[in-house]
Amino acid sequence: MLTNYCYQGDCCAVMRDLVAAGVRVQCIVTSPPYWGLRDYGVAGQLGLEPTLREFLDSMVEVFDLCRELLADDGTLWLNMGDGYVPCRAAGVKPKDVTGQPWRLALALQDAGWWLRQDIVWHKPNPMPESVRDRCTKAHEYVFLLTKSERYFCDFAAMQEPVSGGAHSRGAGVNPKADIPSGWDTSAGGHRALKGRYAGTGVGFGRGYDKVAKPRAKQNASFAAAVAPLVDTRNRRSVWTIPTQSYSEAHFATFPEALVEPCVLAGSRPGDIVLDPFMGSGTVASVAQRLGRRWLGAELNPEYIALQAERTRQPGLVLEVAA
């Protein structure tokens, strides 16, 4: 079986061939065409169906094949943005939000997928809009879907750094957050009580008396013990990631920083990551860089060359010991 390869052709036809060949992938990360957004100029493309219902039916068919390819403990990370009803669509209200991300997610849930998470991709640098009767859209969704309630997820690999007073394991774990109300934490770590306790000698720092020493030692020991535990925390469900420019002729490249946590959490080194809508090859590039193998499908032959350029530098693939 070929890996680190994108098959040029219709994604459903490609995936049927892969299923017939007995291929299994551990993780799928993809961003399909959005309905009514743009014409890529390729016969057979998805996204130009006359109605949203037909588009959703097409997507369910695509992801039924994805589910056949996916390992039983695998995960699907699906990026989908929203849009507005195009003028060409018959029988619909113009300017209506299509709601296609959630319509698709619920359609896939009805088709048998487990819908485990809706992640908001917040774009701090959204595309400017000249509208004056609504807000500028600055987010899309990433849905985490699985084949069952049990699946592989490398929880630690996608954690994020702790910021501010946040902590990862509840109240009383972060030493900075575990300071009683009224304590002054200024002046190089000196902690003295304010208000009615000021000047009493009760505190944590210079001038504290024998009564406070046991508590100070306890706090210091506690802080030293838990310090390694709070460098990172469980990744939140809102990911602030700027869009990433791409100089070549592809209109809808999603950023590598959006793909990376999905690949890290959804696969191990040496596993196969699939993108049935490979486009310019972002998923392939990230998977290869992280030591995963990859497969893809792409209808537009012009994009195959873009993928080859982005994956020209081989990644270090580590095989998992049996």
Side-chain angles (χ1 to χ4, degrees), residues 1 18 46 97-98 132 155 168 194 205 227 243 290 293 309 321:
M1 177 195 67
L18 292 175
L46 298 173
V97 175
T98 62
R132 292 292 181 268
F155 174 82
S168 60
K194 294 180 178 179
T243 58
L290 296 176
R293 295 175 290 168
E309 178 63 25

Side-chain angles (χ1 to χ4, degrees), residues 270-319:
D271 282 343
I272 300 175
V273 179
L274 171 72
D275 184 353
F277 300 98
M278 183 62 80
S280 65
T282 302
V283 170
S285 177
V286 172
Q288 187 165 286
R289 173 167 53 82
L290 296 176
R292 276 68 169 170
R293 295 175 290 168
W294 57 269
L295 286 169
E298 176 51 49
L299 185 62
N300 191 333
E302 294 181 5
Y303 294 157
I304 302 297
L306 304 183
Q307 300 164 14
E309 178 63 25
R310 297 185 73 182
T311 58
R312 184 174 53 178
Q313 182 67 35
L316 176 63
V317 177
L318 304 175
E319 297 291 346

Side-chain angles (χ1 to χ4, degrees), residues 33-107:
Y34 305 165
W35 180 66
L37 182 60
R38 59 175 55 93
D39 184 348
Y40 291 94
V42 183
Q45 65 184 301
L46 298 173
L48 296 182
E49 292 81 354
T51 66
L52 180 57
R53 180 69 266 166
E54 291 173 85
F55 169 73
L56 294 173
D57 290 344
S58 297
M59 288 291 104
V60 169
E61 179 184 0
V62 168
F63 289 108
D64 279 348
L65 289 165
C66 285
R67 190 166 53 185
E68 290 189 57
L69 273 174
L70 192 62
D72 290 342
D73 65 345
T75 52
L76 163 62
W77 305 78
L78 171 60
N79 167 228
M80 175 63 73
D82 215 338
Y84 292 84
V85 172
C87 295
R88 63 175 178 80
V92 294
K93 304 189 299 296
K95 297 181 67 173
D96 240 1
V97 175
T98 62
Q100 58 186 287
W102 275 105
R103 289 178 190 266
L104 176 56
L106 295 176

Side-chain angles (χ1 to χ4, degrees), residues 38-188:
R38 59 175 55 93
D39 184 348
Y40 291 94
V42 183
Q45 65 184 301
L46 298 173
L48 296 182
E49 292 81 354
T51 66
L52 180 57
R53 180 69 266 166
E54 291 173 85
F55 169 73
L56 294 173
D57 290 344
S58 297
M59 288 291 104
V60 169
E61 179 184 0
V62 168
F63 289 108
D64 279 348
L65 289 165
C66 285
R67 190 166 53 185
E68 290 189 57
L69 273 174
L70 192 62
D72 290 342
D73 65 345
T75 52
L76 163 62
W77 305 78
L78 171 60
N79 167 228
M80 175 63 73
D82 215 338
Y84 292 84
V85 172
C87 295
R88 63 175 178 80
V92 294
K93 304 189 299 296
K95 297 181 67 173
D96 240 1
V97 175
T98 62
Q100 58 186 287
W102 275 105
R103 289 178 190 266
L104 176 56
L106 295 176
L108 294 179
Q109 189 180 52
D110 289 344
W113 288 90
W114 266 254
L115 179 56
R116 290 291 295 127
Q117 179 92 72
D118 64 304
I119 297 161
V120 175
W121 169 22
H122 164 232
K123 305 176 185 179
N125 58 337
M127 183 71 69
E129 295 182 282
S130 59
V131 294
R132 292 292 181 268
D133 57 356
R134 62 171 175 81
C135 301
T136 295
K137 184 170 289 295
H139 74 282
E140 294 188 16
Y141 289 94
V142 177
F143 294 106
L144 169 59
L145 298 113
T146 65
K147 296 176 70 171
S148 71
E149 71 275 15
R150 300 281 185 182
Y151 52 93
F152 172 78
C153 182
D154 190 343
F155 174 82
M158 68 179 308
Q159 288 197 325
E160 62 185 12
V162 169
S163 59
H167 49 85
S168 60
R169 290 173 174 80
V173 175
N174 187 335
K176 293 182 180 179
D178 188 44
I179 300 170
S181 175
W183 283 53
D184 180 7
T185 60
S186 60

